[in-house]
Amino acid sequence: MCGIVGFTGEQSAAPILLDGLKKLEYRGYDSAGIAVMDHGCISVNKVTGRIANLCEKTKDGTAVPGAAGIGHTRWATHGAPTEENAHPHLSNDGRFAIVHNGIIENYLSLREELIKDGYHFDSETDTEVIVHLIEMYYKGDMRDALIRTTNRLRGSYALGVICSEEPGKLYAVREASPLILGVGVDENYFASDVTALVNYTRNVIYLEDGEFAELSGNSVKVFDCLGKPVEKKVSRILWDVQAAEKGGYEHFMLKEIMEQPGAVKATISPRIKDGKIVFEELKLTAKDLLRIRKIVITACGSAYYAGCAAKYALEKISHIPVEVELASELRYSDPMIDNHTLLIVISQSGETADTIAALKEAKARGARTLAIVNVVGSTVAKLADNVVYTWAGPEIAVATTKGYTTQVAVLCMLSVWFADMMGIEDENYPKYVKELQALPRMIQHAIDMNSSIPALAKKYHDSKSLFFIGRNTDYAVSLEGALKMKEISYLHSEAYAAGELKHGTIALIEEHTPVIALCCNPAIMEKTLSNIVEVKSRGAEVLALTFRNNQKIVSVADDLMFIPKVDPLFSAVVEIVPLQLLAYYVAKENGCDIDKPKNLAKSVTVE
Ligand code: G6P
């Protein structure tokens, strides 16, 4: 994810900005830059790749004079990781420079408007519209220009801004993207993450959404979105530097689990406009879709399970038959794929060797291809005819969490979009859109409802084997839940379609064998309930995942995890969250290396 730093004081700014950017490296990035103000001029230095390149270019900052500046590490979303797209971005008149974290959802229409007004764009980013708006609205008063600019923006943004006509001043704006002010002695700072600040000061001010700040060497002023001054409390950072790098979480995996409401929101909300689902990035027409006789989804690991979970929504809503194939199998299976097939390939990294090979195989057979990818500019993204990016931000923990949920979210949205494009009349359309928009909130509820999971982990952590059961999407989510458990806790865990139990697996159930039963689909609840009774009568300990008021399951299970009510077609995005938490806390009980489990890699680039 992108990172932001800002410094103003009496010392040279560039070395401090570079040091702050180094502290943000762990977040993942592909380019970086700084802008420093000196004697009424702003100088910008940007590089692709590592911060080390920026240090080299600026002689560790010594070649860049000036005591106030802003810096940024970019993790590309809009536009490839190039120098032009790297931040800071300058206004056309060179008087303003900005850095931005987040996504401006209405940037396309703003860009068109600004081009008509004579502004030219140097990058493909959503960010650049902001600096031109500031230039347009600046009439000698930065606060007024910022208020007018932010009134035009939709989406999420943490901004750092400097203006050559306001020497020594920094401006910081926060809306749905973190930004923290650092209060020092004769110098002040801001950053997207305390990691960048703790070497300099432990006194910080947390900005709230809608607030902005004006910083100089000896003052910090905070205002609300109308420009009214706000009294802020200065807090003291107590944690050590290492912990702060994980945003205060003990492990990246836990941090990434907790980031899911934001990641799913960043993926879904820019693609819903005026109550309609839109995929502006797709080149597929209604005619193309009507020619398609089947969809083949291919991927590896959790991305494959994301496909399994979304098959139900795709078939039910878009009426197109769906096959889900492991990429490592598909590539050698002489697959029945032709020019009437839409191949959907899913990959967080976009670099998985088997997935790339399956994509090439399908292309060679004439299939239309669509990739769902998290890493911008990756090989899968480059090879596919169409790309939908998940905006999950970088995932550092090897076991994917927000990668999976954002993939399923995109597939659910595609189901509704395909149907609409093909002219399928569906009275449920507005309901689907509302359900999709509510998913980030539902994930947050699922996190909040399950505070008992650490205690459940204490009970189940030394089990010999765990079995996960469910039907339909519950089964598909079981597959991913069991994978999470085995990946990070090293416990033997297997998922079974609940109806298959009696065809073999039930032989393994004995006194106290844990069975994790997923019961989140009211239409088939009774059927899974019968399977719960079957395993319980053989001594199993049942940990059920269901809705809080589902009395039938609550009364029969030994232990419970909950989710809020969600349409079963989309519920995988929410159901998986308690299972991720369960795996995490079981692994923690077992003292495992959660972020880097043994034998596993984040990106599997060999066959
Ligand atoms: C590895 C990772 C998994 C991931 C799989 C596919 O096994 O550990 O978390 O699901 O690769 O990776 P991809 O980047 O293609 O989604």
Side-chain angles (χ1 to χ4, degrees):
M1 217 177 333
C2 306
I4 284 182
V5 288
F7 169 81
T8 178
E10 284 166 11
Q11 306 184 57
S12 181
I16 295 172
L17 295 173
L18 291 171
D19 183 56
L21 293 180
K22 280 184 203 152
K23 297 289 182 310
L24 298 175
E25 282 192 291
Y26 79 94
R27 297 161 71 104
Y29 66 102
D30 40 50
S31 51
I34 55 172
V36 176
M37 200 173 3
D38 187 39
H39 291 98
C41 268
I42 294 174
S43 63
V44 176
N45 282 280
K46 308 200 258 192
V47 295
T48 55
R50 307 285 94 186
I51 307 288
N53 304 344
L54 192 57
C55 292
E56 202 185 312
K57 187 170 181 184
T58 61
K59 302 202 170 27
D60 289 326
T62 56
V64 185
I70 53 180
H72 192 261
T73 49
R74 174 171 186 256
W75 193 85
T77 56
H78 296 61
T82 60
E83 231 172 77
E84 292 74 39
N85 290 333
H87 303 209
H89 290 285
L90 265 184
S91 59
N92 286 172
D93 64 7
R95 284 187 300 164
F96 307 90
I98 66 158
V99 289
H100 165 222
N101 284 1
I103 288 171
I104 303 304
E105 291 165 11
N106 58 334
Y107 83 101
L108 280 175
S109 57
L110 289 171
R111 193 176 162 112
E112 264 174 42
E113 177 191 322
L114 286 157
I115 289 172
K116 273 198 200 121
D117 285 343
Y119 291 89
H120 72 257
F121 280 75
D122 294 320
S123 76
E124 302 156 275
T125 62
D126 53 337
T127 301
E128 202 184 333
V129 295
I130 308 171
V131 76
H132 299 320
L133 284 173
I134 294 174
E135 179 185 330
M136 186 165 89
Y137 289 126
Y138 183 76
K139 304 277 179 277
D141 180 349
M142 263 307 276
R143 286 186 220 163
D144 180 63
L146 285 176
I147 293 169
R148 285 174 193 273
T149 298
T150 50
N151 279 342
R152 302 292 314 279
L153 304 177
R154 256 195 1 246
S156 59
Y157 44 88
L159 302 177
V161 188
I162 50 174
C163 166
S164 60
E165 291 184 13
E166 308 213 359
K169 280 199 183 149
L170 305 181
Y171 291 87
V173 186
R174 177 190 162 134
E175 179 61 45
S177 188
L179 200 57
I180 301 148
L181 310 180
V183 183
V185 179
D186 294 331
E187 51 191 35
N188 291 303
Y189 315 77
F190 60 70
S192 48
D193 186 320
V194 282
T195 332
L197 301 177
V198 281
N199 272 355
Y200 301 95
T201 180
R202 286 178 172 262
N203 295 327
V204 297
I205 293 173
Y206 293 97
L207 284 184
E208 300 297 326
D209 286 348
E211 289 179 344
F212 69 97
E214 183 185 285
L215 285 77
S216 62
N218 48 25
S219 87
V220 175
K221 294 178 191 158
V222 179
F223 305 92
D224 69 10
C225 58
L226 301 172
K228 222 169 98 226
V230 182
E231 277 295 312
K232 298 293 287 186
K233 191 173 112 221
V234 177
S235 311
R236 185 107 183 117
I237 302 167
L238 297 175
W239 58 54
D240 62 40
V241 174
Q242 190 111 45
E245 282 177 0
K246 289 172 185 145
Y249 290 102
E250 200 176 338
H251 297 98
F252 283 109
M253 183 178 176
L254 186 59
K255 177 169 171 272
E256 288 160 6
I257 291 173
M258 298 304 180
E259 281 172 351
Q260 289 179 109
V264 171
K265 184 163 195 270
T267 301
I268 289 180
S269 65
R271 296 180 171 117
I272 298 182
K273 288 184 183 150
D274 304 324
K276 290 273 293 180
I277 293 176
V278 284
F279 279 96
E280 281 164 355
E281 61 270 67
L282 293 182
K283 291 172 279 181
L284 292 165
T285 62
K287 201 167 148 222
D288 295 332
L289 290 169
L290 288 164
R291 268 174 55 86
I292 285 162
R293 298 205 189 117
K294 72 171 174 183
I295 292 173
V296 174
I297 301 181
T298 194
C300 299
S302 297
Y304 166 73
Y305 291 145
C308 295
K311 171 183 159 82
Y312 301 92
L314 277 164
E315 289 193 330
K316 176 91 201 272
I317 301 171
S318 74
H319 305 176
I320 309 173
V322 178
E323 291 167 13
V324 192
E325 280 280 353
L326 288 164
S328 53
E329 287 295 316
L330 183 134
R331 64 185 292 189
Y332 297 121
S333 67
D334 193 8
M336 302 255 299
I337 287 177
D338 59 20
N339 56 359
H340 292 289
T341 307
L342 174 67
L343 182 99
I344 301 184
V345 64
I346 312 170
S347 179
Q348 189 282 128
S349 64
E351 301 297 347
T352 304
D354 284 323
T355 307
I356 294 168
L359 170 58
K360 286 183 178 162
E361 180 65 37
K363 280 188 82 160
R365 287 167 188 256
R368 299 297 300 258
T369 56
L370 185 162
I372 299 172
V373 182
N374 196 37
V375 178
V376 174
S378 55
T379 307
V380 169
K382 280 194 207 131
L383 280 174
D385 308 323
N386 293 275
V387 185
V388 176
Y389 284 113
T390 50
W391 287 336
E395 236 186 10
I396 294 169
V398 165
T400 182
T401 50
K402 58 182 183 169
Y404 169 88
T405 42
T406 50
Q407 287 159 356
V408 183
V410 165
L411 287 162
C412 292
M413 293 188 85
L414 282 173
S415 324
V416 185
W417 186 77
F418 287 158
D420 187 39
M421 287 286 287
M422 291 188 299
I424 298 173
E425 299 265 332
D426 191 338
E427 58 182 24
N428 287 321
Y429 186 92
K431 179 177 150 283
Y432 290 146
V433 173
K434 267 204 182 126
E435 290 266 350
L436 289 164
Q437 274 172 319
L439 285 175
R441 223 169 351 104
M442 296 297 131
I443 296 173
Q444 190 59 54
H445 286 325
I447 292 171
D448 298 341
M449 287 165 114
N450 286 293
S451 53
S452 61
I453 288 180
L456 292 171
K458 282 193 195 310
K459 174 171 172 186
Y460 290 102
H461 77 102
D462 55 1
S463 309
K464 202 166 71 195
S465 287
L466 293 113
F467 296 101
F468 288 68
I469 60 166
R471 289 166 185 261
N472 292 9
T473 23
D474 285 340
Y475 168 51
V477 177
S478 301
L479 292 163
E480 171 63 3
L483 178 65
K484 284 286 89 75
M485 185 64 79
K486 72 176 78 135
E487 273 181 312
I488 59 166
S489 75
Y490 317 141
L491 292 185
H492 171 237
S493 50
E494 294 300 333
Y496 289 94
E500 275 296 292
L501 272 177
K502 56 176 88 58
H503 298 292
T505 315
I506 205 158
L508 299 173
I509 304 291
E510 43 190 50
E511 205 62 29
H512 301 306
T513 303
V515 173
I516 293 147
L518 277 64
C519 315
C520 301
N521 184 344
I524 44 173
M525 191 81 69
E526 296 285 341
K527 300 290 169 194
T528 311
L529 182 62
S530 308
N531 301 120
I532 291 178
V533 174
E534 280 162 16
V535 292
K536 269 201 73 71
S537 57
R538 282 150 184 93
E541 201 81 18
V542 172
L543 167 54
L545 174 64
T546 190
F547 316 116
R548 203 187 279 283
N549 57 1
N550 183 353
Q551 273 321 312
K552 280 187 182 152
I553 304 290
V554 168
S555 59
V556 75
D558 298 285
D559 292 300
L560 290 151
M561 296 179 289
F562 295 109
I563 61 158
K565 272 230 154 110
V566 182
D567 187 320
L569 289 173
F570 306 146
S571 67
V573 179
V574 181
E575 266 182 87
I576 190 59
V577 176
L579 302 184
Q580 295 166 343
L581 286 167
L582 182 69
Y584 173 82
Y585 283 107
V586 167
K588 199 171 161 203
E589 278 302 316
N590 291 350
C592 303
D593 187 354
I594 295 179
D595 285 336
K596 295 189 208 80
K598 67 175 184 219
N599 305 337
L600 299 180
K602 182 77 190 148
S603 182
V604 182
T605 52
V606 291
E607 192 178 345

